Amino acid sequence: MNQSNDLMGKIVSLCKRRGFVYPSSEIYGGFANVYDFGPLGSLLAKNIRDLWIKKMVQEKEDMYLIDGSILMHPKAWEASGHTVAFTDPLIQCPVCKKRFRADQLEGWQLKKDNQTGQWNILKQGSLICPDCQGNLIPAVKEFNLLMATEVGSVAGEKTKVYLKGESCQNVYLDFPLIRDTMAAKIPFGVAQIGKAFRNEITLGKFLFKVREFEQMDVEYFCAPEESDKLYAEWKKIRFDWYVKDLGLSESRLRWRQHSSEERIFYAKDAWDIEYKFFEDFEELEGVHNRSDYDLKQQGKFSGKTLDYFDPISKKRFVPYIIECSGGLQRTFLALLAENYREEMVKDDKRVFLKIKPALAPYKAAVFPLVANKPELIQKARSVFNLLKPELMTFWDDIGNIGKRYRRQDEIGTPWCLTIDYQTLEDDTVTIRDRDTMKQERVSIEDIKNWIREKLE
Ligand code: ATP
């Protein structure tokens, strides 16, 4: 096994062992490529979402947050082109029955007709099945990724609806309501974190490609003539988020522009932010200038005009949209891949997550030195109760202190507080740092400020 596969394996194992990510429906043998965030994963995911909202909404004055429903009028998906054109090119191995995306097989080049969803083969590549080495037949089928369900309670009168194939569509539908209820002046943007569902063909990359995931989207509405300038600004904002706010290393991030074959016909420009998760650079977020296509299409199908009247220039126009669409699961995986550390401490292997304290699931852990001394337990409980209302704090009185440190290291807790016999005398505790393992004594009345300062 090479090093990067090894790292992926270690992360998958850590995620399950320490309650970050569980396979969905495990007692039934699991459900392919659907996962649950466990207690630790839910906290990490929440911290990512909260930070994203803080940076994309709270610290800006022209951004509005919405939280749209998963179910929408089915016509919206006709207007967007998803019912016909949201396809991937499928090749199925006749021997092992495994399914592949033809555009990801070695040497293949295909181009999608975005009106019909049909994939045309530009260059046929390898016909060897990557899994069983059997012979593939070069028959490419269009595979629609949308998931459908039904609403209504009377059999035979149910309406087919779609689960969101991409989370952003309802932002376009809500555009006139946001414009009017918020008296929003262009340029302005709408931020949304929402679920998306896709019948993906190629699976098996842990959280990287799943059937149900969350997208963190910015849809920024602007005048057509301003879109190039604002597009450049948003590219910078989004790249900075990964480097400065999340702490991903710049050397593992890069921009990739969509080729003319790949770029959707209405997009003015399209770049992806890619991250080197393990071996290869792969997409983390798409930042696209989508022109006025989305609002025009939804306007055409709904019979409404989705436009904007500029009170200064007295011009009426259909806004352009700059879209920044990133995935929560991929961000989560990137943070684990970036921060997973192993080091030898004497003869012992120490695993720790060197994640930014602001993102760590728990900020602090409180340990009484031993579990059978009531005075120590009582004192430790008072420290725990002091911190709990302000910070996610973990209580642990099981096993020796060394083992308790290791448990917190693995889940990324930056500071472990031990209440010992000296605490009973002078009201100080030891605070042990996750990364350096250094300890210092801090008086109980100063702990909150000490942590607050480190978190800033
Ligand atoms: P890819 O080609 O890598 O599957 P995409 O181009 O289909 O991605 P978009 O439609 O641009 O992805 O979606 C925006 C973001 O949503 C992606 O950059 C990614 O972070 C996330 N995303 C898309 N599909 C999935 C998936 N199946 N599982 C997890 N995250 C996903």
Side-chain angles (χ1 to χ4, degrees):
M1 196 187 268
N2 67 32
Q3 239 188 344
S4 46
N5 278 340
D6 198 22
L7 175 61
M8 167 81 133
K10 285 174 179 173
I11 287 174
V12 173
S13 151
L14 174 85
C15 278
K16 187 160 175 209
R17 199 173 63 248
R18 289 289 178 224
F20 280 90
V21 181
Y22 302 134
S24 165
S25 323
E26 208 201 20
I27 58 165
Y28 291 100
F31 190 59
N33 285 82
V34 184
Y35 292 95
D36 294 339
F37 284 130
L40 271 290
S42 302
L43 292 175
L44 174 54
K46 179 184 178 299
N47 292 343
I48 298 170
R49 288 188 206 102
D50 288 351
L51 188 60
W52 186 87
I53 291 172
K54 180 169 185 287
K55 293 287 161 182
M56 296 305 122
V57 183
Q58 185 185 324
E59 291 184 11
K60 308 226 174 288
E61 56 173 278
D62 54 356
M63 292 291 300
Y64 302 98
L65 181 69
I66 69 160
D67 187 4
S69 57
I70 289 171
L71 300 179
M72 292 163 55
H73 197 291
K75 273 212 153 174
W77 298 106
E78 279 177 47
S80 67
H82 281 77
T83 49
V84 179
F86 194 40
T87 57
D88 273 348
L90 168 75
I91 282 195
Q92 186 161 22
C93 173
V95 185
C96 69
K97 307 286 177 227
K98 247 220 147 137
R99 295 166 150 205
F100 302 98
R101 268 178 66 168
D103 57 334
Q104 290 176 350
L105 289 172
E106 201 189 320
W108 284 71
Q109 266 181 25
L110 297 101
K111 183 164 168 59
K112 178 159 78 171
D113 179 330
N114 283 302
Q115 311 285 349
T116 62
Q118 198 184 332
W119 285 83
N120 300 309
I121 301 173
L122 302 180
K123 189 169 156 236
Q124 187 181 299
S126 165
L127 285 175
I128 305 290
C129 170
D131 228 52
C132 74
Q133 320 305 318
N135 289 329
L136 299 174
I137 301 164
V140 175
K141 284 191 197 149
E142 278 75 45
F143 183 86
N144 195 299
L145 304 174
L146 272 187
M147 286 192 201
T149 185
E150 291 179 321
V151 294
S153 48
V154 182
E157 288 176 22
K158 293 188 177 183
T159 307
K160 182 177 174 187
V161 294
Y162 301 96
L163 303 182
K164 282 189 194 181
E166 58 183 17
S167 185
C168 58
Q169 279 298 327
N170 57 327
V171 177
Y172 313 145
L173 274 52
D174 286 349
F175 166 76
L177 291 168
I178 299 167
R179 177 197 62 195
D180 298 345
T181 55
M182 303 308 294
K185 301 259 176 305
I186 270 184
F188 72 87
V190 178
Q192 176 177 243
I193 300 178
K195 288 256 182 184
F197 301 83
R198 294 184 188 177
N199 267 318
E200 298 282 5
I201 298 175
T202 45
L203 298 164
K205 291 163 100 179
F206 192 41
L207 292 179
F208 184 83
K209 205 165 257 298
V210 282
R211 291 197 161 111
E212 176 181 341
F213 55 99
E214 276 172 69
Q215 291 178 314
M216 303 188 287
D217 292 334
V218 167
E219 306 292 324
Y220 199 74
F221 299 92
C222 62
E225 60 278 12
E226 281 201 298
S227 76
D228 289 343
K229 180 181 80 119
L230 291 166
Y231 183 55
E233 283 176 18
W234 273 102
K235 277 179 69 186
K236 179 166 172 7
I237 294 171
R238 294 306 304 148
F239 199 86
D240 282 355
W241 148 259
Y242 289 110
V243 179
K244 295 187 184 151
D245 300 327
L246 295 186
L248 300 185
S249 31
E250 225 171 320
S251 57
R252 286 174 80 168
L253 285 160
R254 72 174 186 200
W255 281 107
R256 187 184 68 80
Q257 188 173 26
H258 284 203
S259 64
S260 52
E261 279 90 43
E262 184 187 4
R263 194 172 72 220
I264 197 128
F265 66 96
Y266 51 79
K268 219 179 151 210
D269 201 358
W271 292 75
D272 289 340
I273 298 176
E274 295 188 331
Y275 179 72
K276 196 167 183 214
F277 286 84
F278 300 103
E279 214 161 302
D280 304 314
F281 279 91
E282 294 183 276
E283 180 178 334
L284 191 52
E285 168 157 343
V287 182
H288 304 164
N289 179 343
R290 296 180 59 89
S291 75
D292 55 9
Y293 182 80
D294 303 294
L295 291 181
K296 279 197 170 149
Q297 279 296 105
Q298 295 297 349
K300 194 161 110 192
F301 277 69
S302 64
K304 304 275 184 329
T305 312
L306 305 186
D307 64 4
Y308 177 79
F309 178 73
D310 185 340
I312 298 165
S313 68
K314 308 271 185 256
K315 273 196 206 146
R316 188 172 284 283
F317 59 88
V318 177
Y320 268 36
I321 295 176
I322 312 290
E323 176 180 84
C324 315
S325 181
L328 175 73
Q329 277 71 7
R330 287 191 192 176
T331 304
F332 186 105
L333 186 59
L335 282 171
L336 295 182
E338 176 86 32
N339 293 301
Y340 181 92
R341 298 280 190 289
E342 283 179 0
E343 67 180 20
M344 291 309 288
V345 181
K346 296 190 186 126
D347 292 334
D348 205 22
K349 187 169 83 180
R350 177 171 97 101
V351 173
F352 65 112
L353 274 189
K354 202 169 185 260
I355 200 159
K356 276 194 162 195
L359 291 165
Y362 284 93
K363 309 295 180 239
V366 174
F367 308 155
L369 183 66
V370 289
N372 57 359
K373 286 273 177 282
E375 323 84 272
L376 281 181
I377 299 285
Q378 206 185 2
K379 195 76 184 168
R381 281 274 166 211
S382 72
V383 174
F384 181 64
N385 291 337
L386 177 81
L387 295 181
K388 201 91 178 101
E390 195 164 321
L391 301 164
M392 283 306 299
T393 311
F394 200 98
W395 171 267
D396 193 358
D397 58 9
I398 302 167
N400 66 44
I401 291 287
K403 286 213 173 95
R404 291 185 234 170
Y405 283 153
R406 292 291 184 274
R407 278 201 287 271
Q408 296 306 315
D409 286 346
E410 273 200 311
I411 63 171
T413 308
W415 302 295
C416 292
L417 283 60
T418 303
I419 284 70
D420 54 19
Y421 294 105
Q422 192 181 326
T423 317
L424 301 178
E425 284 163 22
D426 66 5
D427 258 6
T428 63
V429 303
T430 62
I431 303 188
R432 181 261 198 184
D433 183 276
R434 173 196 67 195
D435 302 339
T436 61
M437 295 191 290
K438 292 215 170 92
Q439 300 186 12
E440 64 179 283
R441 284 207 86 89
V442 177
S443 113
I444 290 177
E445 62 177 10
D446 294 335
I447 298 174
K448 274 193 186 176
N449 277 341
W450 189 96
I451 295 180
R452 260 187 225 131
E453 268 171 34
K454 301 265 172 192
L455 277 172
E456 268 163 18

